[in-house]
Structures are given as structure tokens and as C-alpha cells.
Amino acid sequence: MESTVSVSKGVFLFPSTLKKPKNVKQKSNLFEKQFKKEPWYKAYKKNWDKIESRIMDLHQRTYDVLLNDMVNYIKSFYGGNESLTLEGIIPSATLLTGVNQPDHVSQFETLMLKIRDEVTPHIAMVNSQDASTVKHLVENAVWQLVNGHEIMDDSADSDDETLPTKKKLKKNQCTMRLLQNWYNNKYLSPSPKKRQTVSMRSLVIIIPDFESFNCNVLQDFVMIISSYVSSLPIVFVFGVATSVSALHKSFPYHVSSKLLIKVFHSHSSPVYMNQVLEDIFLNYTSPLHLSGKAFELLTDVFLFYDFSVTGLIQSIKYCMMEHYYGDNVKSLCCDREDIENAAARLSAEDFEIIRQLPSFRPFLEAQDCETKIGLFEDDNFFRDVLCQEMNKLHDYLHSFYLCVRLLAAFLKDLPKNVIGKTVREIYTKCAGESVTKTPTFKECMQLIKFQSQLKLLDSIQGALKVVNAELQVVSPVKPLRSSPTKNNTNKLVLNNELGETFAKTIRVHLLTFLRQLENANTEATVLADVDDETENDTEVVPGNRYKLKEQLLRATRADRIQSEFEMIRSRFVSYLEDMFAKGLQPPSTQTFHEVLFFTDVSSVRKQIVGSPRGAVHTALSNPHHYLQCSCCRLSSLDSASATLPDVCLAYKLHRECGKHINLYDWLQAFAAVLCPGDEDGDVHTHTFTSIFCFRARFTRAVAELQFLGFIKSSKRKTDHVMRLTW
């Protein structure tokens, strides 16, 4: 019988003999093909690529020290004669990654690339789902170690006889004995030429999710490896999400004594999140800025759901896509030096959209009649005004983020600080409301008035570091193009006191107050009347309580003059209040803030913070909502049709039942909907094929509902199921 001849019907798959060409360029997706010529898509693509490169640089700087320490630790073994003194002990590095599970994959992928570049190409990373038993764990580890040199092996030559030229090994053939023979043939060859040309390489086994493994499986695997460690240079890398105690609880003494453990601490997820937000997104150089509510939503999702920095970055990317999509006006959301070119590409329809922004009306009301007419009738004049206002908005952003960081520097050590101690917490407050008018801000300023001289000097020095860092990365301002316009832009009512000039003014004032506080005297003087002084000269008779009481009352009535330090401190706090009142105005008060700030929180909440129960209910009760097909369209949500998917039909019928559902009655109703022509609706009236088809479809629908958690089997009645949702 031929291979394609079968008793039953079947589908036969023949693998293609054609080889895929190498270095084939990846086809661009449909979204990029459709919108790649749009101005808003070009601005989005350019800005996100810039953000992504900055994130990669920050990630490399953050984890570079940790990865180098781990790589050097792995290098320190099996380099010389040190392996002879291990005596069956396996070198192992334990990386405390934290509970941010979605970020573990990227961390260990970076570690694998680092080890492959500097130590060895023989690396095996085995996950818990691939190692349910010791046999599967050994097979996966050995298979990856043997085939790892085919991916990246810089030292081996292409004509080496030790390289497998035949078909690859199957996983069921991978054992520790095979790994030992393969390693001896590759690196411990008896020929002196190969021993000189081929250097020994370590074998690294990475277990990224240690807590998810079966303890007995790992114990047996460690004992097996310890028996081969004298002939195989194996190193373990454990990824622990909780603490080192999880490692000691999983391994008894006879197993842990076989491991030489060194612990490496990774950055905690909240610390890394603050670093990413402060260095990349909470900066005036960022092309897109989030409103207070949107930023609070994203940080709450991070803190209360998964602690994933990658998920937070992807959420910000979604906000950026939502902000740019289909609106050429958002092409103005770019770097400062590109504003003029972006404004030149806008059309008359785009200018009309900008004129309809809510923030444009207060700006228009502040102008005179001639300027108002020019803003509505002359697009060239409006383009010049738009560029000026966008530059002014960038100046505001520079001063706003500077004041946010200065406020964080002054409030980080205050007790009972309600505003916040980190930059992201303070940004959430300042972006949502006028924080300088709140009682909490006034309480914080009052607490600064009680600080000591040394503490106040430290706060001012920290603030000076913030100002100096901001002044080093100020973006240049391009002059506006000189084109003839109908009206004169000099008549506009503008406020250009923010920006780099504002930062330099703050620096001068801080230096002045710093010098005054360093040289200030902390002693206070007391003024008293002459009559009081003559009375005080009289000695108090011992035991005369009346005289002592009068003397103490006169001392309390004496006028106390503030010391030089207290007066300077009061002036400094007054300056801080005026400075923050000017620089911490909420973004909603600025003209054209809708161009740079994303405020649509409702759409983001639906996509990021999903409601799975509501989505499943909508999909089962109204599948047309997601499928968008004519066969699933219903006249009302309570109706049922034979064209609905079987699981949707079964779900609608089960909602009409009580706590216990009779399976036979449920099947009868299911068949009655599928065949509405039968008056009695009995299943037995149909042919054998139709009965079998109805029962098979019904059984599958019931199984799917049970898998989704809507029903469960009942122990009281065998032919009934219990309903779980209402």
C-alpha cells in the first residue's frame, strides 16, 4: 500500500524540498505600507525609534555591571587547574531577578548573548514547562549544549571533523553519556594539533524560573550533574524571583552541598521603572508627554499587576500610537528643531483643526481685533504664530520638568510628605492640578522653614546639581523664517520668561542663598526694657515663688529678634513659593498643549486594563461584536439562531436554566434551535447521522463552557451539571 493510501479520509503533509534563501528582507506589514507616506506616521516612527534607542542604551548601562560580574564569575572556573580542586562541586550563580516575570526573558536573553560572546557558545536555557521530569530536563539541556556550537562558535573551523555533518540528534537520544563523549571528542582529542588549536569551553545551564520547577526533579538533576562535573566543566545559573531562601528550601543539605553558590542582585523593578521614567519619558526632550491621569493609570497598572517595565513601555507606546494615529496635526509633536518643517507641511484643513482646540480660545481672547482677524484668515500668519507658541510650549516644558525635579530634591527628606518623594509621584500631582495652591504644598513649605542649617545647605546643593544637569542638555532654538505676513507678530501678547533663562535665574538665586546661609549667624538676640532690666537686677529671695513667677512672665514678654539664618531661611522659602508658582503651572493652562500631551485616558483603560469577564460574556452572547459577520447578527441579544457558534448557542440556553441543568433537556433545546422545523423538537426523530452530529457538537460546546468556568459536573445528579455564574 502506498504512503498516501488510507482506509479513512485524511490529509497528508509533504515537507517542501525547496530551501529558503538566506538574507531575505523582511516584508513590511500592511500598516506600514498604508501609512508610511503620512506625516503623522513619519513623526511617530522617528520619535519612537529615538525613544527605543535611548531605552536600549539605558538598559545596557543599568545591567552592564551585573552582567560583567556574572560573566567574570563563570570565567573564573575551569580556566586552569582550579577544576581539579572542586571535588564534585558544581559552580552556580544565583541571579535575584525580582517578581517582574515578563521582564525575565529579556534579562536572560541578554545574559546568554554576553556569555556566548565572551565565554562559551554551549549554553542551555531550560524552562519549567519543558522539564516536567528528569528525563525531559536532561534531554533538553543536553540537546541545547550539543547544538549550541552550530549557532555561534568562533574558535572552531568549518572543516573540523568533530562537528556533526550528518543529521541532527533527536532529543530522545540525548543523555549525559552522549554529552560526555561529544565533549571529549571535541575538546579532549588525543591528537596534539587539535589540543593546541581548540580551547576548552565551559557548559552553562541556565534555569530562569527556579520557583516553577519541581523540587524533586531539580534535586535529581543536580545529583546527576555532580557525578559528571569531574569530566565536564558545567556551570549552573539559577534565576530566583523571590529570595535565596527559596533555593535553600528546595535543596536539602546533601544536594546544596554539591553547589558552590554565589548570589548576584539585580535592580528591583520599581527602581528600574523610576530610572526609565525619569531619564526618558519625564523629560522635556521626550516628544510625547502624558497627562496626570494617564500617567497615574500606567503606573498603577505597573505597581498593582505585574511589575513589568517592558509592559509599562509598551503601554506608553500604545498611548503614543493612539495620540498620533490619523492626525497630521500631531506631526508637530516632535523635536524643537523640527517644528518649523512640520508646520510648513500642514494644510488648511489641519490649521482649522488646530483653531478648534479648546486651549486656542483663551489665547485668542487675549489678542486685539486685528490679530484675531489675521489668525482666522491668514494661514501664513497663523503658521508663524503656531511656531512661536510651540517654542513657548517647549520652554514651559523645560521649566516645568526642572521645577518638578527641584521640588523632589527639597521634599525627599521631609516627614509626612503627602505630595511624594519620587519624581514620578510629584509629576502626577503637578500635571493634574495647580499643586502650589493646595494645603499639602503649603505644609511642605512650612516644614522647610523648620529645617536646620546643615540640612538646608544639603538640599540647596542637591538642587544646584539638578539645575546644572538641565542646563547642559538645553536644545537649541531655531529662528523663525522671515516670510512676509499680513500682520505683525510683534503685536502678540506672549510670555517668554520660561525656558533656559528661567533655569539660569534659578541657578543664580540658589548660589546666592547658598553663600548667605553658609555665612549666616544662628544666634538670636532678645530686647528688653530698661525698667525690666533694673527689676531683674534685684535678687530673687529663695522660697519667694511670687517673685520668680513675675520674673518668668517678664522674660516671656521680651521681644525676640530672629537670627540672621532664620531671616535668610524665610526669604528663601518665600522665593521657593514664587518660583514653584511660576514654573509648576498645570499643562492644561498652556496654549496648544493638546498637541504634545496625551489625555485620552478612557480609550487606554479599555485596552490596557481589560475586563475578561465582560469580554467573554460579550463574545458568547453577541459574537457579531467581534466576528463582524452577517450570520451572527441578531435582532435582539436575547434571541438565538442556528447560525451562531455552538458554544454561543449553548451559553444562551444555559442562562435560561436554574442552578442545576438537565443535560438531556439542554440537548433537546440545542437541537430544537438547530432544526426549528421539527414541532416536537425530539432528537430521536432525526436520522442517525444528524443525531450523532448534534450530540458531538453539543458535547464539545458543553466541554468548552466547562473549561471557561461556567458549569461543573454535579455529584448529586449524574445527568445534571451545576451552573457557576449568574
Side-chain angles (χ1 to χ4, degrees):
M1 182 178 290
E2 297 181 2
S3 59
T4 56
V5 176
S6 176
V7 177
S8 61
K9 296 181 179 180
V11 179
F12 301 93
L13 178 64
F14 295 92
S16 177
T17 57
L18 298 176
K19 294 183 179 180
K20 295 182 179 180
K22 297 181 179 180
N23 300 328
V24 178
K25 294 183 179 180
Q26 295 182 354
K27 296 182 179 179
S28 58
N29 53 17
L30 181 62
F31 183 82
E32 187 174 356
K33 280 185 177 181
Q34 187 174 359
F35 299 111
K36 64 180 180 180
K37 295 182 180 180
E38 298 291 336
W40 62 266
Y41 182 77
K42 292 180 180 178
Y44 159 75
K45 187 68 175 175
K46 179 181 178 181
N47 292 330
W48 180 251
D49 291 343
K50 193 177 298 183
I51 290 176
E52 204 166 23
S53 63
R54 293 175 61 186
I55 292 174
M56 294 300 295
D57 294 340
L58 178 62
H59 183 81
Q60 186 176 1
R61 293 197 309 268
T62 304
Y63 292 100
D64 195 32
V65 178
L66 175 65
L67 296 179
N68 287 333
D69 293 342
M70 293 190 68
V71 169
N72 292 331
Y73 176 75
I74 297 174
K75 280 183 181 179
S76 63
F77 295 97
Y78 309 111
N81 295 326
E82 189 178 359
S83 60
L84 301 176
T85 62
L86 293 176
E87 298 178 356
I89 298 177
I90 309 170
S92 59
T94 301
L95 176 61
L96 297 181
T97 57
V99 295
N100 49 338
Q101 292 288 342
D103 295 340
H104 289 178
V105 177
S106 61
Q107 290 182 12
F108 284 103
E109 285 179 353
T110 307
L111 178 61
M112 287 180 63
L113 293 176
K114 190 83 172 177
I115 295 174
R116 275 180 176 161
D117 292 338
E118 301 184 13
V119 183
T120 175
H122 308 300
I123 306 172
M125 185 167 68
V126 187
N127 296 309
S128 58
Q129 61 266 23
D130 300 330
S132 57
T133 61
V134 180
K135 179 177 180 294
H136 292 157
L137 180 56
V138 172
E139 288 175 355
N140 281 282
V142 173
W143 188 85
Q144 292 185 45
L145 290 173
V146 172
N147 295 321
H149 67 282
E150 297 180 1
I151 302 174
M152 187 180 296
D153 192 357
D154 299 332
S155 61
D157 296 330
S158 59
D159 55 349
D160 195 348
E161 296 178 358
T162 60
L163 290 177
T165 57
K166 299 181 180 180
K167 63 180 181 179
K168 293 183 179 180
L169 292 172
K170 296 181 179 180
K171 284 191 176 181
N172 56 8
Q173 299 175 344
C174 296
T175 60
M176 292 302 298
R177 186 176 297 276
L178 182 142
L179 178 64
Q180 186 177 15
N181 295 332
W182 168 83
Y183 189 83
N184 292 335
N185 294 332
K186 185 172 182 63
Y187 294 107
L188 301 178
S189 178
S191 60
K193 292 183 178 180
K194 292 182 180 179
R195 191 176 300 177
Q196 292 177 359
T197 57
V198 180
S199 59
M200 294 180 59
R201 298 293 184 93
S202 301
L203 305 177
V204 181
I205 301 177
I206 301 176
I207 298 177
D209 48 348
F210 179 82
E211 288 88 352
S212 302
F213 273 83
N214 189 352
C215 298
N216 297 326
V217 173
L218 279 180
Q219 292 173 16
D220 297 339
F221 183 66
V222 170
M223 297 304 295
I224 292 172
I225 296 297
S226 64
S227 62
Y228 286 90
V229 74
S230 58
S231 57
L232 293 175
I234 297 178
V235 180
F236 275 142
V237 177
F238 296 110
V240 180
T242 54
S243 62
V244 189
S245 60
L247 197 68
H248 297 290
K249 290 179 182 179
S250 302
F251 291 153
Y253 176 75
H254 72 278
V255 178
S256 61
S257 61
K258 301 294 183 181
L259 298 173
L260 182 61
I261 301 175
K262 184 174 181 180
V263 182
F264 296 89
H265 295 270
S266 178
H267 292 279
S268 62
S269 190
V271 173
Y272 182 51
M273 177 201 65
N274 291 334
Q275 191 174 1
V276 170
L277 292 178
E278 293 176 12
D279 293 352
I280 298 176
F281 295 104
L282 296 183
N283 200 318
Y284 72 95
T285 58
S286 176
L288 178 68
H289 307 272
L290 300 175
S291 64
K293 293 183 179 180
F295 188 79
E296 185 178 8
L297 172 65
L298 298 184
T299 52
D300 287 347
V301 170
F302 172 85
L303 294 173
F304 296 111
Y305 281 81
D306 54 3
F307 279 93
S308 173
V309 180
T310 304
L312 177 64
I313 294 172
Q314 294 302 317
S315 300
I316 296 177
K317 182 179 181 180
Y318 177 80
C319 294
M320 195 169 179
M321 294 169 62
E322 186 75 16
H323 184 71
Y324 278 93
Y325 179 74
D327 191 358
N328 290 331
V329 175
K330 298 305 188 302
S331 62
L332 293 171
C333 186
C334 57
D335 294 335
R336 190 166 189 168
E337 54 271 14
D338 298 333
I339 292 177
E340 186 176 348
N341 295 330
R345 291 191 294 266
L346 296 179
S347 61
E349 291 79 7
D350 298 331
F351 288 142
E352 189 62 30
I353 294 175
I354 297 175
R355 292 187 181 101
Q356 295 175 3
L357 294 177
S359 62
F360 178 66
R361 182 174 181 178
F363 170 77
L364 184 66
E365 293 176 351
Q367 312 302 326
D368 55 8
C369 295
E370 185 180 357
T371 306
K372 291 179 182 178
I373 296 173
L375 289 174
F376 277 104
E377 294 183 354
D378 192 351
D379 289 342
N380 292 328
F381 175 68
F382 184 78
R383 182 182 291 108
D384 292 340
V385 173
L386 179 63
C387 293
Q388 287 187 4
E389 286 299 315
M390 293 304 298
N391 282 310
K392 175 188 171 184
L393 187 57
H394 279 272
D395 288 336
Y396 159 78
L397 290 173
H398 183 274
S399 303
F400 179 77
Y401 284 112
L402 175 61
C403 290
V404 167
R405 283 172 166 76
L406 289 177
L407 188 59
F410 285 112
L411 301 185
K412 63 179 180 180
D413 295 328
L414 290 182
K416 299 180 181 180
N417 183 10
V418 185
I419 297 179
K421 295 185 178 180
T422 60
V423 176
R424 62 173 178 83
E425 293 174 347
I426 296 176
Y427 174 82
T428 305
K429 296 283 186 180
C430 297
E433 59 181 349
S434 182
V435 71
T436 56
K437 298 179 181 179
T438 58
T440 56
F441 177 80
K442 296 178 181 179
E443 291 177 3
C444 293
M445 293 295 106
Q446 192 68 26
L447 290 174
I448 295 178
K449 288 185 178 180
F450 296 110
Q451 282 188 340
S452 62
Q453 186 176 11
L454 294 177
K455 187 62 183 174
L456 198 57
L457 289 174
D458 292 340
S459 300
I460 295 176
Q461 289 175 356
L464 279 172
K465 292 181 181 179
V466 173
V467 176
N468 293 331
E470 289 291 328
L471 288 175
Q472 290 177 359
V473 289
V474 174
S475 59
V477 181
K478 290 181 64 177
L480 295 176
R481 60 183 179 86
S482 56
S483 58
T485 56
K486 182 178 179 180
N487 297 283
N488 190 3
T489 56
N490 295 328
K491 295 182 180 180
L492 292 174
V493 180
L494 297 175
N495 183 12
N496 297 323
E497 296 179 358
L498 299 176
E500 185 180 0
T501 306
F502 183 71
K504 291 180 179 179
T505 305
I506 294 176
R507 181 183 178 185
V508 172
H509 282 84
L510 290 178
L511 288 173
T512 304
F513 280 112
L514 181 64
R515 294 168 186 170
Q516 292 178 358
L517 290 172
E518 288 176 347
N519 302 324
N521 188 9
T522 59
E523 295 181 359
T525 58
V526 179
L527 295 180
D529 296 337
V530 179
D531 296 337
D532 295 338
E533 293 179 358
T534 56
E535 293 179 2
N536 291 338
D537 292 339
T538 60
E539 296 181 359
V540 179
V541 181
N544 192 347
R545 296 182 179 178
Y546 180 74
K547 293 289 185 181
L548 179 61
K549 181 179 179 180
E550 288 184 349
Q551 185 178 1
L552 293 176
L553 288 174
R554 284 193 299 269
T556 57
R557 295 192 193 102
D559 296 333
R560 181 179 180 276
I561 299 178
Q562 289 183 341
S563 64
E564 184 182 2
F565 164 70
E566 292 175 345
M567 290 188 291
I568 297 174
R569 183 177 59 185
S570 299
R571 294 201 306 268
F572 177 69
V573 173
S574 300
Y575 169 73
L576 288 182
E577 292 177 351
D578 296 338
M579 178 192 69
F580 288 135
K582 183 178 180 181
L584 288 181
Q585 298 177 3
S588 58
T589 60
Q590 303 300 313
T591 308
F592 301 138
H593 70 274
E594 297 92 347
V595 178
L596 298 183
F597 281 84
F598 177 78
T599 57
D600 191 4
V601 185
S602 58
S603 63
V604 177
R605 183 181 285 110
K606 292 179 182 178
Q607 303 297 331
I608 297 179
V609 187
S611 55
R613 287 186 178 182
V616 172
H617 172 73
T618 303
L620 294 178
S621 60
N622 185 20
H624 177 72
H625 179 77
Y626 292 104
L627 299 179
Q628 296 294 322
C629 57
S630 58
C631 59
C632 295
R633 185 180 287 109
L634 300 174
S635 58
S636 64
L637 295 179
D638 297 332
S639 60
S641 174
T643 58
L644 291 177
D646 294 339
V647 64
C648 299
L649 181 58
Y651 176 76
K652 283 179 171 292
L653 295 174
H654 111 284
R655 292 183 61 195
E656 300 176 359
C657 303
K659 184 177 181 180
H660 291 85
I661 306 175
N662 190 325
L663 287 175
Y664 182 78
D665 295 340
W666 197 4
L667 174 60
Q668 291 290 101
F670 185 81
V673 176
L674 293 181
C675 296
D678 298 333
E679 297 180 356
D680 53 357
D682 192 358
V683 177
H684 297 289
T685 60
H686 302 283
T687 61
F688 176 78
T689 305
S690 61
I691 293 174
F692 180 78
C693 180
F694 289 158
R695 289 180 178 177
R697 293 170 61 181
F698 177 75
T699 303
R700 181 174 180 177
V702 171
E704 290 176 352
L705 289 178
Q706 184 178 3
F707 176 76
L708 291 173
F710 290 101
I711 58 174
K712 73 173 184 179
S713 59
S714 177
K715 295 181 180 179
R716 297 175 59 183
K717 299 180 180 180
T718 57
D719 59 343
H720 284 66
V721 292
M722 186 180 297
R723 183 178 175 183
L724 300 178
T725 59
W726 302 92

